Amino acid sequence: AVASSSDSQPQQTRPGVAPGSTSYTLRLADEAAYPPDIPREFAVTVAPAPGAMYVLSQPKSGKEKEQDSKRDGRSSSVVVEGKVELKGEVSAASLSKEYKELMTKRREQAEKRPEVQPLQKGGGQQMTTLKRRTVTKGEARESQLKQPKVEVPQMSREKLQDVIFEKFSQQKAWHRKDLMDLTGQKQKYLTEVLEQVCERGLGKYKGQYVLRSEYRNQSAGR
């Protein structure tokens, strides 16, 4: 046997077990030669299923669907196989230091991303290999900062006003920073054009720009 239950009778008084549930202690058999860094003892809890849960099936092919229809006398493609009466949960009774270290190694391995490195062979032929390494959040942020920013050409005032009117036709108020990101224009130049057609919002629009009243109909008609 690869596992054995040390409790001959169910335990219903385990701390944290909901009323109506039954719990067992499961221990892995020593002769199964499991790795030393995994838990040996587990808590098994069996409890009534929450709410109404059913097991459904659906034929994968038209032929299977036709056979099920003849068998059950129904034309529905979904068949109710039964109702779920109980649910089972298995959790480690305690986590050893070795098991925690194992989980840490697995998480670090999952966070590794492939890195492309070109290799030059003796004959001049270039090959590509993938090397996995862990990239921290700090390294990712630093890499983003090092990337050169693409300089967006400055729009004419008429073009920029058209873009601003288009954006304000989508929503009533905008933050200047959002408009800078959308248009790619520098703050000083964008602010000059904004001040010509917009005004600072009040109340719930405080800190944002709204169109001046004489331009609102113009924006809505675009």
Side-chain angles (χ1 to χ4, degrees):
V2 297
S4 62
S5 174
S6 65
D7 301 334
S8 57
Q9 296 295 331
Q11 298 178 352
Q12 297 182 327
T13 59
R14 187 191 302 275
V17 177
S21 303
T22 303
S23 65
Y24 301 86
T25 298
L26 181 69
R27 290 188 176 90
L28 300 182
D30 295 333
E31 60 270 19
Y34 287 100
D37 51 5
I38 68 172
R40 286 294 187 272
E41 185 173 305
F42 297 86
V44 182
T45 303
V46 180
M53 301 177 65
Y54 296 89
V55 179
L56 307 177
S57 66
Q58 186 175 19
K60 297 182 179 180
S61 65
K63 185 176 181 180
E64 292 177 354
K65 186 186 300 183
E66 182 180 352
Q67 291 176 349
D68 286 344
S69 178
K70 292 180 179 179
R71 181 188 63 191
D72 301 333
R74 295 173 295 180
S75 59
S76 174
S77 60
V78 178
V79 178
V80 178
E81 300 290 352
K83 183 178 180 181
V84 178
E85 300 289 348
L86 298 171
K87 69 170 184 176
E89 296 180 355
V90 180
S91 59
S94 62
L95 299 181
S96 64
K97 179 182 178 181
E98 292 76 14
Y99 185 72
K100 292 179 180 179
E101 292 177 351
L102 175 64
M103 292 296 99
T104 300
K105 291 180 181 179
R106 289 180 178 177
R107 183 176 65 253
E108 292 176 350
Q109 187 69 23
E111 291 176 351
K112 290 183 179 180
R113 297 293 181 266
E115 180 179 301
V116 179
Q117 293 184 344
L119 297 179
Q120 195 77 22
K121 296 184 67 175
Q125 183 180 2
Q126 191 173 18
M127 299 180 62
T128 301
T129 182
L130 292 178
K131 179 181 179 181
R132 301 189 69 86
R133 62 181 294 268
T134 301
V135 179
T136 64
K137 292 183 179 179
E139 291 176 336
R141 175 62 178 169
E142 184 179 354
S143 176
Q144 292 177 355
L145 294 176
K146 289 182 178 179
Q147 292 180 357
K149 294 184 178 180
V150 179
E151 190 73 21
V152 178
Q154 180 173 300
M155 301 180 187
S156 66
R157 289 182 179 269
E158 293 76 12
K159 175 63 176 177
L160 183 53
Q161 284 184 0
D162 288 341
V163 174
I164 291 173
F165 286 137
E166 179 185 355
K167 297 304 178 184
F168 277 97
S169 68
Q170 300 171 5
Q171 64 184 51
K172 187 173 182 179
W174 284 90
H175 289 283
R176 180 174 56 188
K177 180 64 169 61
D178 294 335
L179 291 173
M180 287 176 58
D181 294 338
L182 291 171
T183 62
Q185 303 301 293
K186 294 182 178 180
Q187 177 176 328
K188 182 179 179 181
Y189 179 61
L190 176 64
T191 301
E192 291 177 1
V193 180
L194 272 177
E195 296 288 351
Q196 293 176 356
V197 297
C198 299
E199 59 188 6
R200 302 297 179 95
L202 301 175
K204 66 178 182 178
Y205 298 120
K206 186 176 180 179
Q208 303 181 69
Y209 280 93
V210 296
L211 281 178
R212 296 181 183 273
S213 57
E214 59 266 31
Y215 294 109
R216 289 172 189 167
N217 293 335
Q218 179 179 349
S219 175
R222 288 174 179 264

